[in-house]
Amino acid sequence: MQLHFSPSMRSITISSSGSSSNNNGNGFVDLMKIKVAARHISYRTLFHTILILAFLLPFVFILTAVVTLEGVNKCSSFDCLGRRFGPRLLGRVDDSGRMVRDFYKILDEVNSMEIPDNLKLPDSFSQLVSEMKSNQYDARTFAIMLRAMMDKFEKDIRESKFAELMNKHFAASSIPKGIHCLSLRLTDEYSSNAHARKQLPSPELLPLLSDNSYYHFILSTDNILAASVVVTSTVQSSLKPEKIVFHIITDKKTYAGMHSWFALNPSSPAIVEVKGIHQFDWLTRENVPVLEAVENHNGIRNYYHGNHVAGANLSATTPRTFASKLQARSPKYISLLNHIRIYLPELFPNLDKVVFLDDDVVIQRDLSPLWEIDLEGQVNGAVETCRGEDEWVMSKRFKNYFNFSHPLIAKHLDPEECAWAYGMNIFDLRAWRKTDIRETYHYWLKENLKSNLTMWKLGTLPPALIAFKGHVHPIDPSWHLLGLGYQIKTSIENVEKAAVIHYNGQSKPWLQIGFEHLRPYWAKYVNYSNDFVRSCHILEP
């Protein structure tokens, strides 16, 4: 093709190459002349237009060829070009975006529909893919099968989690074979060995049991091994161990074994006294009628010893909530040993200030400065548990322990009031004797019994939170680190800095379910070379 412009630029001739020699023949005349009227369009504009067309036509040819090679030439060239390049030029998505939107629509439909119960499901994703290929599933069928599989797996995982929590609860509530053996062997030793029955402490030290210039610790437990760790860790961490007096309170069945252990394994230079509940004249039915009711009430016994799954709506309960409910149903919460701390002013009438310790704590620092803390007239020095870095452990307020839908609770308590910790408490017994804390404790226990345990479920802390209300002085959190028995993410750095670490929760360090990385802080105070410990096969972890 050739373009010929006249000298005056008044006409343009378009002809095929080589046609000028035979354009007068009888064949197809391929010579055209275009006369341009200057008054309708400028020659310059027409010239530029032709140049642009000459540039675009090869480009259009190339794009058409590309479309054809890619296999989309089932439509006309311009249609394919429009479908393929139009959306891109206009900033729209291609067909893949439309397919994704269609699939999202299918997923929304499947998510809101009810899956048939009799649907046969593959056991794995690879099996699902295989069946999809062989049965030619469409997108909707694939989505239904996938959702049904996920629902089934979630249900199985949930049931396994609840079963794990139940097994953990039973493990935490039982007595390990080695610890039971230790108690039996030491009890037998008490009956056959005069050294195991020797007076604790020796007669010349008896006056020191009521000497307020000494540091008096009180421990209430029926776990001999745990008691030995508390005493040993306290003595070894003390700067003045010769000024320590331990008052260990245990029940009647454990008394002989507990006495044998500390008689045969003295914690010199500290002084240790072991007393059974039956040896306190003050603990009569007249003085503790509520606790007798708690121990003998059939409904309460069934609640703590019965079937913990019966009547529980597991489908509407989270594993975390279920775990909390199981922990609240520990049988120890109806034991007099667990309530004994509310009677300390009467049981130790000659003491002014004491530190009460739970049996699942380890002492890592000298605690004598606790006696120097000014409680400002308050009764109970305790660590508050409503603020701190650990949101799992240090986020406890009254609403975490009480049922505020109960009118009596809602009337007298503030759900946002900060809770505090049992386990390591400084008690000013002189200030305590001027209060009605014990009577308040008894009153609320009775009310909870009357309401069928609908005010609270968790053991001794809730009534203590009420009874000590207005009598608590917060102490620095570094004195008492909680949660080592139910918080696997406990900071090791915080553990090593704390004066007292507390394995509160189900995962006690003497149990197989104890956290492996936290157990050594407790185990290092166990004398695994002791003959009784070895004979009961209590092994070092």
Side-chain angles (χ1 to χ4, degrees):
M1 179 183 294
Q2 294 180 347
L3 298 177
H4 300 279
F5 297 89
S6 66
S8 62
M9 296 294 290
R10 292 276 181 175
S11 66
I12 301 173
T13 302
I14 304 175
S15 65
S16 299
S17 60
S19 63
S20 60
S21 61
N22 55 4
N23 57 6
N24 293 324
N26 296 326
F28 176 75
V29 179
D30 54 2
L31 182 63
M32 294 182 291
K33 181 177 286 188
I34 300 174
K35 290 190 178 291
V36 182
R39 65 178 177 268
H40 293 297
I41 185 171
S42 71
Y43 303 132
R44 187 180 300 274
T45 301
L46 182 60
F47 177 71
H48 290 163
T49 301
I50 293 172
L51 286 178
I52 292 171
L53 288 173
F55 172 77
L56 288 178
L57 285 174
F59 184 65
V60 171
F61 174 78
I62 293 172
L63 292 179
T64 306
V66 170
V67 172
T68 303
L69 290 174
E70 289 186 355
V72 293
N73 56 344
K74 295 180 182 179
C75 53
S76 67
S77 297
F78 285 101
D79 182 44
C80 287
L81 284 172
R83 285 170 49 191
R84 192 163 182 85
F85 295 101
R88 295 185 183 180
L89 293 174
L90 297 175
R92 299 175 184 170
V93 296
D94 58 9
D95 283 351
S96 62
R98 181 173 56 81
M99 291 175 61
V100 170
R101 289 196 303 271
D102 291 343
F103 190 60
Y104 286 163
K105 184 177 180 181
I106 292 172
L107 291 177
D108 287 336
E109 292 175 359
V110 172
N111 188 46
S112 60
M113 70 180 291
E114 187 172 346
I115 302 298
D117 294 333
N118 58 350
L119 194 63
K120 185 178 179 181
L121 300 175
D123 295 326
S124 65
F125 183 76
S126 60
Q127 186 179 344
L128 172 64
V129 173
S130 176
E131 291 184 5
M132 181 180 174
K133 291 178 179 178
S134 60
N135 297 330
Q136 296 294 307
Y137 288 163
D138 57 18
R140 189 172 186 276
T141 304
F142 172 75
I144 291 174
M145 297 293 289
L146 190 61
R147 184 200 155 183
M149 287 178 63
M150 292 185 67
D151 288 349
K152 179 180 180 297
F153 292 152
E154 286 178 2
K155 181 181 177 182
D156 292 344
I157 292 172
R158 186 180 180 85
E159 290 177 353
S160 299
K161 185 64 177 178
F162 284 123
E164 176 193 352
L165 291 172
M166 281 300 304
N167 293 334
K168 190 174 181 180
H169 172 73
F170 292 136
S173 302
S174 61
I175 302 174
K177 183 178 179 181
I179 292 179
H180 182 61
C181 165
L182 184 65
S183 180
L184 292 178
R185 286 183 177 269
L186 287 167
T187 299
D188 182 64
E189 193 72 13
Y190 184 85
S191 62
S192 60
N193 185 346
H195 291 289
R197 295 193 303 273
K198 70 179 181 181
Q199 185 174 347
L200 288 178
S202 56
E204 66 274 12
L205 298 177
L206 286 178
L208 301 181
L209 296 179
S210 56
D211 188 335
N212 283 297
S213 66
Y214 280 69
Y215 305 123
H216 293 268
F217 293 91
I218 299 176
L219 172 66
S220 175
T221 180
D222 60 355
N223 187 328
I224 298 172
L225 191 65
S228 73
V229 169
V230 175
V231 173
T232 301
S233 64
T234 304
V235 172
Q236 290 186 12
S237 302
S238 176
L239 298 178
K240 299 178 180 178
E242 70 281 359
K243 298 286 288 183
I244 289 177
V245 178
F246 256 99
H247 306 269
I248 299 176
I249 306 172
T250 190
D251 56 16
K252 190 172 184 178
K253 65 180 176 58
T254 313
Y255 170 75
M258 188 76 75
H259 190 283
S260 294
W261 175 267
F262 286 102
L264 298 174
N265 301 279
S267 300
S268 301
I271 300 167
V272 177
E273 173 193 33
V274 177
K275 294 196 73 172
I277 289 178
H278 59 287
Q279 295 175 319
F280 287 99
D281 295 333
W282 186 86
L283 287 175
T284 63
R285 292 184 178 182
E286 292 74 21
N287 289 328
V288 288
V290 176
L291 296 185
E292 184 182 7
V294 168
E295 289 187 319
N296 297 325
H297 192 284
N298 286 333
I300 293 177
R301 293 192 66 81
N302 288 335
Y303 177 78
Y304 286 101
H305 294 282
N307 188 339
H308 300 331
V309 178
N313 185 6
L314 298 184
S315 62
T317 304
T318 65
R320 178 173 177 176
T321 302
F322 186 64
S324 297
K325 290 181 178 179
L326 286 179
Q327 186 176 341
R329 296 177 77 162
S330 172
K332 72 176 185 178
Y333 291 130
I334 59 173
S335 166
L336 181 55
L337 281 177
N338 206 40
H339 291 269
I340 201 74
R341 70 194 91 191
I342 204 66
Y343 307 112
L344 293 182
E346 290 78 21
L347 300 182
F348 299 95
N350 297 318
L351 295 182
D352 295 338
K353 204 171 192 179
V354 300
V355 168
F356 188 92
L357 299 173
D358 277 354
D359 64 359
D360 53 355
V361 305
V362 173
I363 313 305
Q364 303 186 127
R365 202 165 73 220
D366 178 41
L367 297 186
S368 59
L370 290 175
W371 274 262
E372 306 300 323
I373 294 177
D374 182 5
L375 298 182
E376 300 178 0
Q378 304 291 20
V379 173
N380 180 4
V383 169
E384 291 184 321
T385 56
C386 64
R387 57 182 66 88
E389 297 178 3
D390 192 335
E391 294 182 1
W392 175 272
V393 177
M394 303 299 286
S395 61
K396 301 294 190 298
R397 298 183 181 272
F398 275 29
K399 62 185 177 183
N400 298 106
Y401 297 98
F402 297 101
N403 173 22
F404 276 87
S405 63
H406 193 287
L408 202 58
I409 293 293
K411 179 180 178 181
H412 290 89
L413 301 179
D414 176 7
E416 296 301 322
E417 185 165 347
C418 190
W420 46 267
Y422 255 166
M424 196 284 290
N425 302 85
I426 316 160
F427 289 124
D428 186 335
L429 301 186
R430 292 172 300 177
W432 190 337
R433 295 184 185 103
K434 300 174 184 178
T435 69
D436 58 353
I437 289 174
R438 175 167 57 90
E439 290 74 16
T440 304
Y441 189 90
H442 281 180
Y443 168 80
W444 283 94
L445 277 179
K446 289 178 183 177
E447 292 299 322
N448 197 31
L449 286 174
K450 289 179 187 177
S451 69
N452 227 7
L453 299 181
T454 57
M455 292 185 180
W456 69 80
K457 302 291 187 184
L458 184 60
T460 56
L461 182 55
L465 290 174
I466 302 176
F468 284 100
K469 194 171 182 297
H471 300 289
V472 178
H473 178 79
I475 63 175
D476 192 279
S478 64
W479 284 110
H480 186 188
L481 179 66
L482 298 122
L484 278 71
Y486 66 89
Q487 169 61 297
I488 194 172
K489 296 179 181 179
T490 301
S491 165
I492 295 300
E493 182 182 357
N494 290 340
V495 169
E496 293 176 348
K497 283 198 240 178
V500 177
I501 56 175
H502 192 174
Y503 292 83
N504 59 311
Q506 292 178 317
S507 301
K508 304 299 185 188
W510 54 82
L511 300 175
Q512 290 297 318
I513 60 175
F515 300 128
E516 292 294 333
H517 65 298
L518 298 176
R519 187 179 295 160
Y521 295 95
W522 180 87
K524 68 181 179 180
Y525 294 106
V526 177
N527 182 7
Y528 290 100
S529 63
N530 180 274
D531 290 340
F532 291 100
V533 172
R534 289 193 324 173
S535 64
C536 288
H537 305 289
I538 300 174
L539 304 177
E540 188 171 3

